[in-house]
Amino acid sequence: MLKVEGLTVKYGNITAVNNISFEVPEGKIIALIGNNGAGKTTTLKTISCLLKPSNGKILFNDRDITGQKPHDIAKQGLIHIPEGRHIFPQLTVKENLIISSFSRTIKYKNFKLEIEQVLDTFPKLRERQKQLAGTLSGGEQQMLAIARGILQKPKLLILDEPSMGLAPLIVEDVFENIKRINKQGTTVLLVEQNAQMALSVADYGYVLEVGDVVLEGNAASLLEDSSVKKIYLGEM
Ligand code: ATP
């Protein structure tokens, strides 16, 4: 579904991503793991066309989308849930969900039904639908960001650090939801520092270090890899 070919991204003289290539096959969960500053966020922002690469190509469903407008990419079904969630804190939970309809051509009556379905999936959000989103807990805000993403009807959902700042139990809950969304037919590209969690739900993973892909493999085998264990899973 997604092919990233020889992608290089620079900020002035700094090369943040250096000639990386990877694929996200339809129906799978692919994890991109790496430490701070490895280039994960830069890679995602370039895929969703928020940044322009200095080299390389991004193919989405065999179409070259490199350098297109981010809102056009979103309309094609490539939905990016950014690091830090970026919900609208002064709007209620329900209003945050309603806003998702603006990028779609859908009758409001039908969209309301979709919102009800999403609230069935995230009962906590239903309970809190009238609450200002900025007053939700971190986990609830992450769920809201994911719910808003689902309402965009993603073919490919890309998530940047969904575990950031969350307690372990909430992280498990968030990842259960990611697995469920994938089982319902959405392909997922996941960027995480929490390698253990990411690789436990992913089919395949890539390890990024200072802008380079240094390792790739089935998620299960990466979890067993000695260098991954040492560097990312805290085992000596
Ligand atoms: P983290 O997990 O900490 O978010 P990351 O793997 O997502 O890290 P990036 O945010 O992509 O890494 O950053 C990769 C490199 O690019 C870092 O060295 C960072 O300092 C640099 N960088 C990121 N954004 C900018 C920017 N807007 N201007 C200049 N340099 C940047």
Side-chain angles (χ1 to χ4, degrees):
M1 179 172 272
L2 182 79
K3 272 190 193 161
V4 171
E5 294 178 356
L7 197 70
T8 297
V9 192
K10 296 183 180 184
Y11 297 105
N13 293 332
I14 299 168
T15 302
V17 172
N18 184 25
N19 191 25
I20 66 166
S21 299
F22 63 93
E23 291 187 12
V24 182
E26 188 169 0
K28 302 288 186 199
I29 301 182
I30 303 303
L32 216 56
I33 60 169
N35 284 330
N36 283 119
K40 306 181 300 296
T41 296
T42 303
T43 302
L44 292 194
K45 282 185 174 169
T46 313
I47 291 171
S48 56
C49 298
L50 292 164
L51 292 174
K52 281 209 168 82
S54 55
N55 229 326
K57 249 202 295 196
I58 300 153
L59 301 170
F60 180 51
N61 284 327
D62 294 326
R63 252 202 278 168
D64 189 349
I65 59 165
T66 327
Q68 287 194 14
K69 299 268 188 312
H71 54 269
D72 289 333
I73 301 305
K75 276 191 184 142
Q76 290 169 43
L78 194 159
I79 301 299
H80 182 168
I81 300 181
E83 187 175 10
R85 292 127 204 174
H86 295 271
I87 47 138
F88 296 100
Q90 303 295 344
L91 299 183
T92 65
V93 167
K94 184 87 174 265
E95 287 164 346
N96 266 275
L97 296 176
I98 289 170
I99 278 203
S100 322
S101 70
F102 294 2
S103 63
R104 293 190 43 203
T105 314
I106 182 170
K107 287 204 170 107
Y108 185 59
K109 191 177 72 178
N110 296 338
F111 191 70
K112 264 168 62 180
L113 286 178
E114 286 189 21
I115 289 182
E116 287 307 308
Q117 284 166 359
V118 160
L119 291 174
D120 286 343
T121 312
F122 298 97
K124 214 32 176 297
L125 294 183
R126 180 181 291 289
E127 264 173 39
R128 288 162 190 273
Q129 54 182 302
K130 294 192 180 136
Q131 188 173 323
L132 288 184
T135 64
L136 293 174
S137 72
E140 289 160 358
Q141 289 190 18
Q142 186 62 60
M143 297 299 187
L144 178 57
I146 294 175
R148 204 175 52 180
I150 292 172
L151 284 169
Q152 312 275 312
K153 291 275 162 217
K155 293 190 178 94
L156 173 64
L157 190 63
I158 63 181
L159 293 133
D160 195 350
E161 303 267 4
S163 76
M164 195 174 67
L166 304 182
L169 269 180
I170 311 292
V171 171
E172 276 180 31
D173 204 15
V174 168
F175 275 79
E176 275 307 314
N177 276 297
I178 294 170
K179 257 199 311 199
R180 183 151 42 98
I181 292 161
N182 172 252
K183 284 218 170 82
Q184 288 165 352
T186 305
T187 307
V188 175
L189 171 62
L190 183 63
V191 148
E192 262 298 341
Q193 278 195 49
N194 186 337
Q196 173 78 50
M197 208 61 222
L199 293 174
S200 69
V201 298
D203 296 288
Y204 199 86
Y206 294 85
V207 180
L208 208 58
E209 260 175 35
V210 220
D212 286 307
V213 171
V214 292
L215 192 65
E216 63 172 274
N218 290 325
S221 65
L222 286 181
L223 270 174
E224 290 306 315
D225 183 274
S226 57
S227 60
V228 171
K229 273 185 172 169
K230 195 165 143 202
I231 302 171
Y232 299 100
L233 306 179
E235 291 181 25
M236 298 305 285

